[in-house]
Amino acid sequence: MNILGLYNYWIVVVLMLIGFYIVIAHENLIKKLVGLSIFQTSVFFFYISMGKITGATAPILDEKYELYSNPLPHVLILTAIVVGIATTALGLALVVRIQEAYGSIEERDIQEQDAHDQLECQLEAYGPSSMEISDEQEQDE
Amino acid sequence: MSDLFAVVMLSGIYSLISASLFLDLDAVDVAFTEASVGAGISTLLMLASLKLVSRYQKKTRYKPILAFFVVVTTGAMLIYGTLDMPHFGTADAPVHTHVAPRYLNESMGEIGVPNVVTSVLASYRGYDTLGETLVIFTAGIGVMALLMVSKQTKQESKKLIPADMQQQIILRIVAKMMIPLILMFALYVQFHGDYGPGGGFQAGVIFAAGIILYTMLFGLSTSQEVFKATTIELFTAAGVLLYGGVGVVCMLLGGNFLDYDFLKHDPVHGQHLGILLVELGVGITVASVMMIIFFKFTWRTVKHKYKK
């Protein structure tokens, strides 16, 4: 056996990196969630491919078969998939609320609005004397 | 790609392909779950939320070089880490030497259920599954809290809300024939999970999919005649309660928590009964949480539509 016997892990790593890249490089929140679910599937593949034995069959006991794949990763991933969709739904609900509050689901828009709000709060709290500082901050941006 | 609709559809196709890959890797139960959850419900929920946000992505000015560098570095380290791993498909890998042989060799005598995945899920690792059911329940509560429906919207919805697909006669007729079959199949998967691939998680999702299909084609107000939101909310808790209740009954009968041996005089019969009840609890919770999540997203759409 040579190093090529590890190809299943490499597929997992590539999928994981695709998901990771989408999560950190894209600004749209729905895309981020899709990236997160690709990341998640890569972990599923990692577990399931570790449980596979060459020449084995699915772990449903029958007298005709001797060799079965490892059932434990299947159990863990089976529940993880359903938990994954429940948490994705929670994320989507958050996205919907963000859309309602900010009118956008692009990260940059949200951050700009937040910075703007912060400036207004500062003005309200400290009066116009703090304007000089906030002007500088605006220039920085 | 700036069209999010295409992104969501592609991720659905990706899920379906990964389900067939899971099947190839002997994980029949996992493939089943991925096909129904990943390709079905997940795509559906993404589409439901796309209806509430803008379909097209704005032009972004992100700088991908730094992200690319981080990703490539992580990848290089991970690939280096895999060099010590056991090769694909080897039977003597460390994963296969600890608990798995015990599950495969003893479970027929101890539990009496041919599908080892079911016996591990519901009996050997019953605590895990209870925890996971609770996570789903909590996520359901989270969605309910985030997408709350005001009384005003509820009153307005009492007027009949036409579904968007009211005009699709072919779809409606085909769905009318399909829905009973989908629900029957869900029940089959639920109660046949001991002997073949299936169980509470898959059955719950399939059942919910049937109801969601009905809601999409015949309108929210029609389906709420039967599946009232308040009733479903109660059912989400009832499933978890059933699961935990079985555990408490085991304790009262003299065993440990979730030790089904004590449910009946014969341990194997007790295990059968315990697994059946526990899977039923899982199925009820999963089905009602999926339904409630979909209903909440639809309510939001209705709210936006009738705001003016």
Side-chain angles (χ1 to χ4, degrees), chain B residues 181-237:
Chain B
L181 293 178
I182 294 175
L183 298 186
M184 284 249 289
F185 181 61
L187 291 177
Y188 166 78
V189 171
Q190 171 80 49
F191 295 109
H192 202 259
D194 303 4
Y195 302 98
F201 285 100
Q202 296 94 325
V205 173
I206 295 170
F207 193 85
I211 305 298
I212 288 171
L213 180 64
Y214 185 80
T215 313
M216 285 202 298
L217 289 172
F218 296 91
L220 194 59
S221 37
T222 326
S223 73
Q224 296 263 318
E225 300 267 309
V226 185
F227 295 94
K228 288 201 175 57
T230 41
T231 325
I232 301 177
E233 278 166 25
L234 280 181
F235 267 110
T236 56

Side-chain angles (χ1 to χ4, degrees), chain B residues 257-275:
Chain B
F257 188 65
L258 292 176
D259 185 358
Y260 313 133
D261 284 358
F262 293 84
L263 281 180
K264 275 193 174 174
H265 294 299
D266 184 37
V268 172
H269 285 180
Q271 290 285 351
H272 267 290
L273 184 67
I275 289 177

Side-chain angles (χ1 to χ4, degrees), chain B residues 49-198:
Chain B
S49 48
L50 264 195
K51 217 173 169 185
L52 293 162
V53 303
S54 59
R55 175 174 164 178
Y56 295 99
Q57 187 189 14
K58 273 190 195 165
K59 272 208 177 121
T60 47
R61 298 167 293 165
Y62 62 83
K63 303 184 190 72
I65 297 148
L66 181 65
F68 192 73
F69 178 72
V70 170
V71 164
V72 169
T73 319
T74 322
M77 285 198 285
L78 282 174
I79 298 260
Y80 175 69
T82 61
L83 294 181
D84 288 337
M85 299 291 278
H87 283 215
F88 177 63
T90 44
D92 54 352
V95 208
H96 307 304
T97 51
H98 291 288
V99 281
R102 194 202 130 97
Y103 290 153
L104 288 170
N105 297 328
E106 312 287 330
S107 75
M108 204 58 192
E110 284 177 348
I111 317 261
V113 169
N115 189 353
V116 188
V117 174
T118 302
S119 58
V120 176
L121 179 92
S123 185
Y124 288 116
R125 299 186 73 89
Y127 277 49
D128 275 17
T129 313
L130 177 61
E132 255 128 22
T133 317
L134 276 171
V135 171
I136 294 164
F137 174 63
T138 318
I141 292 179
V143 173
M144 280 187 231
L146 280 169
L147 301 181
M148 234 172 332
V149 189
S150 61
K151 268 191 185 150
Q152 200 191 346
T153 322
K154 267 189 184 158
Q155 267 165 0
E156 273 194 47
S157 75
K158 284 201 179 123
K159 305 164 205 165
L160 215 61
I161 301 163
D164 290 341
M165 289 194 255
Q166 199 81 20
Q167 307 297 324
Q168 309 277 356
I169 298 224
I170 297 175
L171 272 182
R172 283 164 62 113
I173 290 173
V174 172
K176 255 190 181 163
M177 293 190 284
M178 291 291 285
I179 286 167
L181 293 178
I182 294 175
L183 298 186
M184 284 249 289
F185 181 61
L187 291 177
Y188 166 78
V189 171
Q190 171 80 49
F191 295 109
H192 202 259
D194 303 4
Y195 302 98

Side-chain angles (χ1 to χ4, degrees), chain A residues 84-106:
Chain A
I85 174 66
T87 46
T88 307
L90 196 64
L92 286 172
L94 277 171
V95 169
V96 167
R97 291 309 297 254
I98 287 172
Q99 163 78 24
E100 284 171 5
Y102 290 86
S104 165
I105 50 164
E106 307 288 330

Side-chain angles (χ1 to χ4, degrees), chain A residues 44-100:
Chain A
F44 299 162
F45 275 119
F46 179 58
Y47 270 66
I48 298 295
S49 67
M50 275 171 87
K52 167 80 179 166
I53 300 173
T54 313
T57 182
I60 296 171
L61 300 177
D62 194 280
E63 284 164 1
K64 283 181 231 157
Y65 299 103
E66 284 284 304
L67 194 61
Y68 300 99
S69 281
N70 193 336
L72 189 57
H74 300 183
V75 175
L76 301 178
I77 296 313
L78 164 68
T79 48
I81 290 176
V82 184
V83 169
I85 174 66
T87 46
T88 307
L90 196 64
L92 286 172
L94 277 171
V95 169
V96 167
R97 291 309 297 254
I98 287 172
Q99 163 78 24
E100 284 171 5

Side-chain angles (χ1 to χ4, degrees), chain A residues 104-122:
Chain A
S104 165
I105 50 164
E106 307 288 330
E107 212 172 35
R108 189 179 298 267
D109 288 353
I110 295 165
Q111 276 166 355
E112 266 170 17
Q113 284 189 34
D114 272 348
H116 191 74
D117 283 354
Q118 224 168 9
L119 280 180
E120 277 185 355
C121 281
Q122 237 173 22

